[in-house]
Amino acid sequence: MRRPRSLTVLAVVFAALAVNALAQAVLAAAGRSDDPAALTALQLLVGAAAAVAAWGSWSVRRWAPRAAIAYGAATAVLLFSLDPLLGLGPDARNGLWMGAVVFFLLGVVAAWYLRRAIARADDETVGRRTA
């Protein structure tokens, strides 16, 4: 099955997001950050979800949309958790919540697009086989 260019772009974006989250977790594990253990665990979760979404997008898998939603949900949970984990206070709360909603919606929109693009790629593959 030929990979559409848009799925390559999504795979690269998800891979960059995975590298960023996993780098934060590695820095914390190496003692170069004073992040709490719960935040490091959430970074690992976000990084893993982004890596799975990148792989699914790259390899044009039907489960890729679920991975994109998992990334959005994990990132939203991380952002919702920052205030209680770091004690940022009420001034930061609105921005964190807005960011959480935006990242969750990013995951949903990516999932919607992935679902359509993968279905279109499947249809093209079936069309080539019957022609």
Side-chain angles (χ1 to χ4, degrees):
M1 175 182 320
R2 186 176 162 272
R3 180 184 334 102
R5 239 181 244 146
S6 59
L7 294 186
T8 301
V9 170
L10 266 178
V12 169
V13 168
F14 277 122
L17 293 168
V19 167
N20 180 57
L22 294 173
Q24 294 295 321
V26 168
L27 287 174
R32 299 185 129 202
S33 170
D34 58 351
D35 291 343
L39 181 56
T40 302
L42 286 169
Q43 287 284 13
L44 284 171
L45 178 66
V46 168
V52 170
W55 177 253
S57 300
W58 182 263
S59 57
V60 193
R61 303 292 180 161
R62 291 179 194 250
W63 47 260
R66 290 188 294 274
I69 289 174
Y71 167 77
T75 304
V77 167
L78 182 142
L79 290 170
F80 278 129
S81 301
L82 283 178
D83 181 27
L85 287 174
L86 302 177
L88 299 176
D91 292 342
R93 196 168 298 135
N94 286 340
L96 291 172
W97 289 10
M98 181 59 76
V101 169
V102 166
F103 270 92
F104 181 72
L105 290 176
L106 172 81
V108 169
V109 169
W112 169 80
Y113 184 78
L114 281 165
R115 186 169 177 241
R116 291 187 64 208
I118 290 169
R120 205 173 317 121
D122 283 347
D123 290 346
E124 288 176 12
T125 302
V126 170
R128 278 190 228 135
R129 283 189 217 149
T130 59

